[in-house]
Amino acid sequence: MTDRISPLSTPAATRAVLEAHGLATKKALGQNFLVNDDVLRRIMELSEVGPDDVVLEVGPGIGTLTIPLLKAARAVVSVERDRDLPHVLRGTCGPWAEKFGLVEKDAVELTEADVRAALGTADMPLPNKFVANLPYAVAATVVLGYFQEFPWLDSATVMVQSEVADRMCARPGTKNYGAYTVKLSLYARPAGRFSVGPGNFFPPPHVESSVLRLDRRDVAEDGIAITEEERRAICVMADAAFASRRKTLSNSCKAYFSGRGPEGKRIAGELSALFAEAGIDPSRRGETLSLEEFARLGRALCSIAR
């Protein structure tokens, strides 16, 4: 029989660790511990973590995924908000203590300074891979935020609720395509996915899950790289276009900008010029626009806002 890549990947082992520390799973923190070694193997294969990689992990729990990451990677920095778990992790991950850093903090508040401090040495590069079984309540926020804020991350291989994975991968014209999809597409593209049923967790969640890999992308339109100013403008136009999803671009954007102070009202009055400059028919709906078309809208917004 093939050896397990994690000694904690069974319900009995997970329960034993929790009971040894007088702990139970916390529903309020979205704790559902992965207890299937085959799923762990598939995560490791999809993420392609190797000895040159430094990994960032969120929600390590008791270390079920952390252990195979530590076995494979140069170093791992894990972020855990449950104050009862750092003591557990120092035990389960103890054999790899020299290359394991822990940040005791809410993942949505993580900074580069936190990661550097956890690495403990200036010689260690910042993480290039994000691999995690994410708390579902913050998964969408964390994935987009980390691609936006941490340019040193080249990829993310994350377990999320299947509906969230659908939004991350959605194509124009589908029901899951929205402002979030457009924003994430500015930074990353899907590079692999597989489904994980509730029975692979302890306790089982009430939702279906997916592991999704996203690779960082450089967005270019007409061969010209999009600037950070234009990225921000594209995000604004995505929010405006989907503010009233069933309305036309013209009506949705007008309502969005009209409610945003004097500058917003000024832009609302110039929307006809904005659509003309972008070459976009204002009678269309936001869900029909490609990323490249949103890029043109963002660039036109930058021009009008100056």
Side-chain angles (χ1 to χ4, degrees):
M1 180 178 178
T2 304
D3 290 338
R4 292 184 175 276
I5 63 171
S6 177
L8 306 177
S9 61
T10 67
T14 298
R15 191 180 295 110
V17 170
L18 292 172
E19 290 177 354
H21 293 273
L23 301 175
T25 57
K26 298 178 181 178
K27 185 176 180 180
L29 296 182
Q31 290 180 343
N32 301 97
F33 299 115
L34 187 58
V35 289
N36 186 314
D37 213 62
D38 289 336
V39 175
L40 287 172
R41 289 182 187 279
R42 293 187 69 183
I43 292 172
M44 296 302 295
E45 290 170 1
L46 186 60
S47 66
E48 298 182 311
V49 171
D52 294 328
D53 295 316
V54 179
V55 176
L56 176 63
E57 180 193 26
V58 164
I62 61 174
T64 307
L65 174 58
T66 320
I67 290 173
L69 289 173
L70 285 165
K71 290 178 179 178
R74 179 177 176 181
V76 176
V77 173
S78 298
V79 186
E80 178 56 65
R81 66 172 292 193
D82 185 346
R83 295 182 179 180
D84 291 328
L85 291 179
H87 178 66
V88 178
L89 286 163
R90 291 186 181 98
T92 58
C93 299
W96 304 273
E98 75 284 352
K99 59 177 183 175
F100 178 52
L102 184 62
V103 179
E104 298 179 40
K105 193 173 189 178
D106 192 324
V108 298
E109 299 174 356
L110 185 70
T111 66
E112 182 176 313
D114 294 327
V115 178
R116 288 189 182 278
L119 288 169
T121 172
D123 296 334
M124 187 69 68
L126 285 163
N128 62 309
K129 291 187 176 179
F130 178 34
V131 185
N133 176 14
L134 288 171
Y136 290 173
V138 299
T141 300
V142 165
V143 171
L144 176 58
Y146 283 14
F147 272 116
Q148 289 176 324
E149 298 167 22
F150 303 146
W152 23 270
L153 287 176
D154 295 329
S155 69
T157 304
V158 290
M159 179 94 72
V160 298
Q161 189 172 336
S162 288
E163 287 82 354
V164 173
D166 291 342
R167 289 170 58 202
M168 292 176 171
C169 298
R171 303 182 71 84
T174 63
K175 67 177 183 178
N176 292 305
Y177 185 72
Y180 179 87
T181 316
V182 174
K183 294 175 185 179
L184 183 60
S185 296
L186 288 169
Y187 298 90
R189 68 173 79 246
R193 175 180 177 176
F194 64 88
S195 299
V196 183
N200 294 290
F201 299 89
F202 171 79
H206 299 295
V207 297
E208 294 291 325
S209 305
S210 290
V211 174
L212 175 67
R213 174 167 168 168
L214 297 159
D215 287 347
R216 183 175 291 279
R217 63 179 292 177
D218 291 322
V219 179
E221 193 220 352
D222 298 329
I224 303 172
I226 291 173
T227 66
E228 280 306 307
E229 178 191 15
E230 289 164 346
R231 282 187 201 257
R232 291 191 293 271
I234 294 166
C235 290
V236 170
M237 290 307 302
D239 285 334
F242 288 98
S244 301
R245 186 181 182 94
R246 301 313 302 166
K247 291 185 177 181
T248 64
L249 282 170
S250 179
N251 290 334
S252 183
C253 291
K254 184 175 182 180
Y256 177 88
F257 285 109
S258 295
R260 278 160 176 75
E263 178 60 16
K265 287 183 172 62
R266 183 185 73 79
I267 293 172
E270 298 186 37
L271 284 173
S272 294
L274 186 153
F275 291 126
E277 181 171 336
I280 302 295
D281 181 353
S283 67
R284 293 171 63 184
R285 291 193 174 101
E287 65 195 37
T288 70
L289 269 62
S290 67
L291 178 61
E292 290 72 23
E293 288 173 315
F294 271 109
R296 301 208 311 260
L297 286 174
R299 188 162 288 141
L301 177 62
C302 288
S303 178
I304 284 176
R306 290 191 182 103

